Amino acid sequence: MSVLHDIDVVPSEQGVLVPDADGALVAWADIRQVVGTADPEGATARHRVTILLRLHRMISELGDEAITCFREALRLIALPPGHVDNLGADWVIQRLPGGALELGYGVYGLLDEPDRCVPLPPSVAARVAVRGHESWAAMREYTERMGALAAARLNRDGREGVIRPVGGCDVLSLLTSRTLRKHLAEGDGVGMRAVASPTRQRAWYDLRHIDPGFVQTAWHLTDEADRGLEIPLLVTVDEVAVPRQSAQRGKGTS
């Protein structure tokens, strides 16, 4: 991680010292927390630890302005279990009914990536005074408003059947909005809609005009951190779910 992402670090018994950040020390427990069950030498672990150290370094560099900066950038992130940016049980604040998406804190537009939202590791959240459910209601309310705005835009000019990010909320996060889910689910008059989101930046809900292989191809061609889900989701007013697997092929005929 240090070599590939050019982050100077000094390991010690207590943790990892980041010299560029006025001696910020990231404890080994905090590193283990974001790595979770991922292979410590794999790409997922490197990606998560890089975000962790860069955010800790940013806090030290910002000094007294850090809390204000991070609070302004705070967003809700919705990710499938096992996603490279899903930091696991300690990061997850809420699970959306249906089981497809887990919700946690993120920050938007930091780390020299103006259009990306990255997960906010618990140890970083503690340093900027974002404590668990304390700020969660505000994040849910903001995301609900962005979802309502997305629904209004689709109602006005959504003939192409594409959902795009709004207000720093990617399309998976927008699906946590009941207003948007209601708009999608009731659009065909059946109370359910299939929504394909192979990338966190785009989702398609008129799948009658989408090639069946498009979703999987788009998912595979998207950078891992920006991926959504490989298969379409089923959206109702109350839930976002992954369809149950069909019966095993070749079984049942005689």
Side-chain angles (χ1 to χ4, degrees):
M1 178 278 302
S2 178
V3 173
L4 293 176
H5 297 280
D6 194 27
I7 300 178
D8 291 333
V9 294
V10 179
S12 69
E13 291 185 3
Q14 291 74 34
V16 173
L17 187 69
V18 186
D20 291 346
D22 297 326
L25 182 70
V26 183
W28 289 116
D30 296 333
I31 293 175
R32 285 195 296 269
Q33 186 179 50
V34 299
V35 171
T37 59
D39 176 7
E41 297 183 6
T44 294
R46 286 198 302 272
H47 172 80
R48 294 175 179 176
V49 174
T50 296
I51 290 175
L52 174 73
L53 296 185
R54 291 182 69 190
L55 289 176
H56 273 291
R57 182 171 65 182
M58 176 172 284
I59 291 172
S60 296
E61 291 171 348
L62 289 170
D64 294 339
E65 299 178 1
I67 291 179
T68 299
C69 179
F70 273 72
R71 286 294 183 92
E72 291 176 350
L74 199 62
R75 295 291 188 276
L76 177 154
I77 298 183
L79 295 168
H83 191 281
V84 66
D85 272 350
N86 187 324
L87 303 182
D90 293 328
W91 172 79
V92 173
I93 303 296
Q94 187 176 358
R95 289 173 174 83
L96 197 68
L101 298 173
E102 296 180 330
L103 287 53
Y105 285 115
V107 284
Y108 175 72
L110 301 183
L111 303 184
D112 301 321
E113 299 177 81
D115 296 322
R116 256 203 107 232
C117 199
V118 299
L120 187 67
S123 63
V124 179
R127 287 189 66 187
V128 292
V130 175
R131 296 184 177 90
H133 297 271
E134 196 172 290
S135 305
W136 192 244
M139 286 297 95
R140 289 307 309 264
E141 193 275 335
Y142 175 82
T143 310
E144 183 63 39
R145 286 192 286 113
M146 294 304 102
L149 181 57
R153 290 180 177 178
L154 293 177
N155 193 48
R156 184 184 68 236
D157 52 15
R159 293 182 180 178
E160 59 182 342
V162 181
I163 307 170
R164 293 179 171 83
V166 179
C169 298
D170 63 40
V171 296
L172 294 182
S173 300
L174 291 175
L175 288 177
T176 69
S177 163
R178 183 179 178 84
T179 304
L180 179 58
R181 294 198 307 271
K182 187 175 188 294
H183 176 84
L184 294 170
E186 297 181 352
D188 276 350
V190 296
M192 180 180 294
R193 181 70 70 94
V195 176
S197 181
T199 165
R200 293 165 65 184
Q201 302 304 313
R202 294 289 185 276
W204 288 262
Y205 60 89
D206 189 1
L207 301 189
R208 294 169 296 183
H209 299 97
I210 298 292
D211 186 284
F214 167 77
V215 178
Q216 287 187 336
T217 300
W219 185 84
H220 282 287
L221 293 176
T222 300
D223 289 341
E224 195 170 2
D226 291 324
R227 285 176 177 171
L229 288 97
E230 189 177 4
I231 60 176
L233 296 163
L234 291 180
V235 176
T236 69
V237 174
D238 298 312
E239 296 185 348
V240 176
V242 175
R244 293 182 179 180
Q245 297 295 324
S246 59
Q248 186 176 353
R249 292 182 180 179
K251 185 178 180 180
T253 57
S254 60

